[in-house]
Amino acid sequence: MGRRRLGFWQWLAVVLVKPVMTIWTRRTWRGMEHLGTEGPMIIVANHMSHADPLVAAHFIYDSGRWPQFLGKASVFKVPVIGWILHRCKQIPVERGTVDAAKSLDALIKALGEGDAVIIYPEGTITREPDLWPMKGKTGAARLALATGAPVVPVVMWGPERIFDPHRSRLNLRPRIPVTVVAGPPIDLSQWAGAAPSRAVLEEMTDVIMLRLRDMLAEIRGGTPPPLWQRGGRTNIEQRRPEATA
């Protein structure tokens, strides 16, 4: 990232947020080399707490990229806040409306400009009781098919100590340990050029979510369960393609 290209509001966000995160967390960062410093990239991440966007943003910024998240469109309509979010290059997403396609167009435009965009494939904080990843939605897969941009997995463990999603409790003590790891791009080449059918998108999404799940197991320990979805767990255990650099 050419940090000299950052606008005033982006710099202001860095000045306000990064010192707080530096004091609030004790960080273990790994795999930043997989994010590079330029070129289009779809970053997919696990989502277990309202605190993890701050942790992810800190990690991605320290890697040399500017973090661009999808955010609920309603937040962008709040006076002043929405105006600042737009100027910090965040992207509103319209869910369940005829305007949802506009979010995809905005993501495609960002990638066309060589940006890195961050997507939570689950679409919400995981509802898996032990905070393992659950079955994902197909937006990241659809975007990968539309653009051919690499899909880079990022997993984190520790933000749930900052904000406990079960108790909705904020922990303000300093130096809370957090671990964030980026992996090599996920190999989705077998679907290159495929039509975005429901079956294709779900297969790609399952590969993405299984990669996130297995990477998370490496940093938190334990045996990962099958992917969870509303009504129970799935039996998805697809072949894990070899990652490509």
Side-chain angles (χ1 to χ4, degrees):
M1 174 182 62
R3 290 186 177 172
R4 287 173 294 182
R5 295 201 305 265
L6 293 183
F8 170 79
W9 292 102
Q10 291 168 289
W11 273 116
L12 181 62
V14 173
V15 168
L16 293 177
V17 176
K18 185 172 179 178
V20 174
M21 297 305 296
T22 300
I23 295 171
W24 204 356
T25 61
R26 186 174 77 248
R27 297 159 304 286
T28 300
W29 293 161
R30 297 203 300 269
M32 284 183 172
E33 67 275 11
H34 298 301
L35 300 181
T37 56
E38 59 184 16
M41 181 174 294
I42 302 165
I43 299 172
V44 290
N46 65 314
H47 196 10
M48 90 291 286
S49 166
H50 290 301
D52 62 57
L54 289 172
V55 174
H58 191 182
F59 174 79
I60 292 165
Y61 178 80
D62 278 0
S63 79
R65 307 298 299 248
W66 179 254
Q68 286 184 262
F69 289 88
L70 292 181
K72 291 182 179 179
S74 58
V75 178
F76 286 76
K77 297 173 183 176
V78 177
V80 181
I81 292 176
W83 187 82
I84 292 173
L85 288 174
H86 276 296
R87 278 149 186 78
C88 287
K89 299 187 71 176
Q90 304 311 299
I91 300 170
V93 57
E94 297 277 1
R95 295 178 179 173
T97 72
V98 294
D99 291 328
K102 293 181 180 178
S103 301
L104 181 63
D105 291 341
L107 288 166
I108 291 173
K109 180 176 183 292
L111 291 169
E113 294 172 352
D115 293 340
V117 299
I118 302 95
I119 295 179
Y120 290 111
E122 294 156 288
T124 186
I125 291 173
T126 180
R127 295 189 172 92
E128 201 282 333
D130 294 322
L131 303 181
W132 290 97
M134 61 182 183
K135 185 173 174 63
K137 299 182 184 299
T138 60
R142 188 180 297 276
L143 185 62
L145 275 183
T147 64
V151 178
V152 176
V154 170
V155 294
M156 62 201 84
W157 190 242
E160 78 288 346
R161 300 178 186 177
I162 299 173
F163 186 88
D164 185 331
H166 294 312
R167 301 179 181 178
S168 297
R169 182 177 298 174
L170 183 65
N171 183 354
L172 293 176
R173 72 177 178 84
R175 294 186 58 76
I176 296 172
V178 295
T179 299
V180 184
V181 178
I186 300 171
D187 184 0
L188 301 173
S189 59
Q190 71 184 85
W191 294 285
S197 67
R198 189 70 187 175
V200 164
L201 293 174
E202 289 189 351
E203 287 173 4
M204 294 174 67
T205 301
D206 290 342
V207 168
I208 290 169
M209 295 313 303
L210 288 171
R211 172 66 65 80
L212 292 176
R213 184 201 66 176
D214 292 349
M215 286 177 60
L216 182 60
E218 292 177 5
I219 62 175
R220 65 175 282 187
T223 301
L227 295 176
W228 185 94
Q229 65 178 346
R230 190 178 298 277
R233 298 192 185 279
T234 71
N235 293 319
I236 298 165
E237 285 295 337
Q238 293 187 348
R239 174 179 63 85
R240 299 177 181 85
E242 293 297 322
T244 58

